[in-house]
Amino acid sequence: MRAVCLILFCLVFGNVSLAQRPDDPTIDRPGAAVPAHLKPIERSYGAYFYGGKRLRSPHSMEIPFNELNNATVNRHFRTFRTLSTVGQAVAVVPLIYILTRPRTTSTRSGEYWTVYFGSIGVTLGLSLIGNGQVKKAVNEYNRSLASARFGFSAQPINGTTHTALGLSLTKRL
C-alpha cells in the first residue's frame, strides 16, 4: 500500500514543475502586436465558443493561445495539459495494482477499493484544477485581445453612410 501511495505522490507532484525558463520564447514582448485575426473565446454553460463555433475540448484552444504568444496564457495552458496528463496516468493505477500483485495471494478488497477510489478522487481533483487553469487562460487571453483592439466601421443606414471609430484599451495592473 505504501508503494502505491508513493507512486501516486510522485505522479501528482513530480510532473508539476512549471517554472518558466529565461530563454522561453513565450515571454511577453512589450509592444508586440496582437494578430488581428484572433477572436475572443466565449464561455457559456461550461462550453467554449470561438468565432461562433463550439469547441469540443479545451485542447482545441491551443492554436489561438499560441498565436497570441502571451506568457501568462501559455503558462496556464501548459499547467492544464500537465494536470490532465497526470490525471490520465493516475487513472491507470488500479490496473497496474491488479497486474503487479503476486498471483499466489488473494486480492485484499480493502486495499483495492482504496486504490480504486483514491485514483478516481485524484483524477477528478486534477481535472477540476486543470479546468480552472483553462478558465484563467481564457480570461487572460480575452483581456489581452481587449487591451489591443482598434476598430473602424462604415455602415449604410437610410441612404447615408455612418462611420464609427473604436479603440479599446485596458489598463493592466
Side-chain angles (χ1 to χ4, degrees):
M1 185 64 187
R2 288 184 187 170
V4 172
C5 290
L6 181 64
I7 290 171
L8 282 174
F9 182 80
C10 290
L11 282 174
V12 171
F13 296 107
N15 286 335
V16 187
S17 61
L18 302 171
Q20 193 174 27
R21 300 181 321 267
D23 62 339
D24 193 351
T26 61
I27 294 176
D28 283 336
R29 298 175 312 241
V34 173
H37 67 277
L38 291 178
K39 300 171 187 156
I41 296 173
E42 301 166 11
R43 184 166 187 233
S44 175
Y45 300 111
Y48 292 99
F49 295 88
Y50 182 77
K53 295 182 182 176
R54 185 170 190 232
L55 301 174
R56 296 285 176 198
S57 76
H59 292 282
S60 43
M61 292 183 246
E62 184 172 11
I63 293 172
F65 288 166
N66 286 337
E67 286 184 14
L68 181 63
N69 200 20
N70 182 305
T72 307
V73 172
N74 289 342
R75 188 188 69 226
H76 286 306
F77 192 72
R78 276 194 316 264
T79 304
F80 159 73
R81 277 195 325 220
T82 302
L83 291 174
S84 66
T85 301
V86 170
Q88 290 170 358
V90 169
V92 180
V93 169
L95 177 64
I96 294 171
Y97 172 77
I98 288 177
L99 294 177
T100 59
R101 68 177 174 77
R103 298 280 182 216
T104 57
T105 62
S106 63
T107 305
R108 296 182 186 149
S109 68
E111 272 185 19
Y112 173 74
W113 290 115
T114 301
V115 169
Y116 182 74
F117 287 119
S119 70
I120 289 174
V122 170
T123 301
L124 286 175
L126 291 174
S127 176
L128 291 173
I129 295 169
N131 288 336
Q133 292 295 315
V134 168
K135 187 176 178 181
K136 288 178 185 178
V138 168
N139 289 340
E140 181 63 27
Y141 171 85
N142 288 336
R143 191 175 304 123
S144 295
L145 288 183
S147 68
R149 289 295 182 184
F150 174 77
F152 176 77
S153 174
Q155 298 281 331
I157 298 175
N158 295 333
T160 62
T161 302
H162 292 269
T163 59
L165 182 66
L167 177 63
S168 173
L169 295 174
T170 58
K171 184 177 181 181
R172 296 180 71 150
L173 300 175

